[in-house]
C-alpha cells in the first residue's frame, strides 16, 4: 500500500470488475503514456545528464575526468523521479532495459 503501482492496479482492477473494461484499459494506457512523457520531459528539460545509466560516467569520474553536473542535485532528482515513473508505468529501466 502507498506506492504508485499499487494505486494504479487497484483503480484498474476496480474498473475492470465493475463492468468497465474499456475504461480500465484507457486508465492503464493513459497512466503509462503520462508517466513516460513526464519522465522524458524531466530528462530533457531538467538534466540531460540523467539520460544514461551513469555507470560509464562514474567510471570516468573515478578515473579523474571532470564531468559537468554529474553529481548535481538536478541530475539526481531527474534520474530518481524519472526511474520511479518509468518503473511504475511498467516499462523496463536500468539493467533490465
Amino acid at each position: 500500500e502507498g506506492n504508485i503501482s499499487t494505486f494504479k492496479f487497484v483503480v484498474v482492477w476496480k474498473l475492470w470488475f465493475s463492468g468497465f473494461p474499456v475504461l480500465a484499459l484507457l486508465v492503464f494506457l493513459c497512466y503509462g503514456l503520462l508517466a513516460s512523457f513526464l519522465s522524458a520531459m524531466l530528462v530533457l528539460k531538467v538534466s540531460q545528464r540523467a539520460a544514461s545509466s551513469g555507470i560509464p560516467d562514474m567510471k570516468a569520474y573515478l578515473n579523474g575526468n571532470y564531468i559537468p553536473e554529474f553529481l548535481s542535485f538536478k541530475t539526481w532528482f531527474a534520474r530518481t523521479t524519472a526511474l520511479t515513473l518509468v518503473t511504475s508505468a511498467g516499462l523496463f529501466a536500468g539493467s533490465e532495459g
Side-chain angles (χ1 to χ4, degrees):
E1 289 184 35
N3 62 30
I4 298 171
S5 293
T6 303
F7 176 74
K8 175 184 70 171
F9 284 117
V10 166
V11 169
V12 169
W13 187 83
K14 285 182 181 181
L15 285 171
W16 183 272
F17 288 106
S18 295
F20 301 105
V22 174
L23 187 59
L25 179 64
L26 283 174
V27 167
F28 192 74
L29 290 175
C30 287
Y31 177 78
L33 289 172
L34 179 67
S36 302
F37 178 76
L38 288 175
S39 298
M41 287 299 109
L42 271 172
V43 171
L44 290 174
K45 300 296 182 187
V46 175
S47 175
Q48 292 184 357
R49 182 59 61 185
S52 66
S53 69
I55 295 172
D57 295 338
M58 181 58 79
K59 285 182 177 180
Y61 182 78
L62 291 175
N63 282 322
N65 296 316
Y66 174 71
I67 301 172
E69 294 189 12
F70 173 60
L71 297 174
S72 69
F73 177 77
K74 288 182 356 179
T75 304
W76 173 82
F77 176 77
R79 182 171 285 159
T80 304
T81 308
L83 282 174
T84 303
L85 287 170
V86 164
T87 306
S88 69
L91 300 174
F92 298 113
S95 61
E96 300 169 343

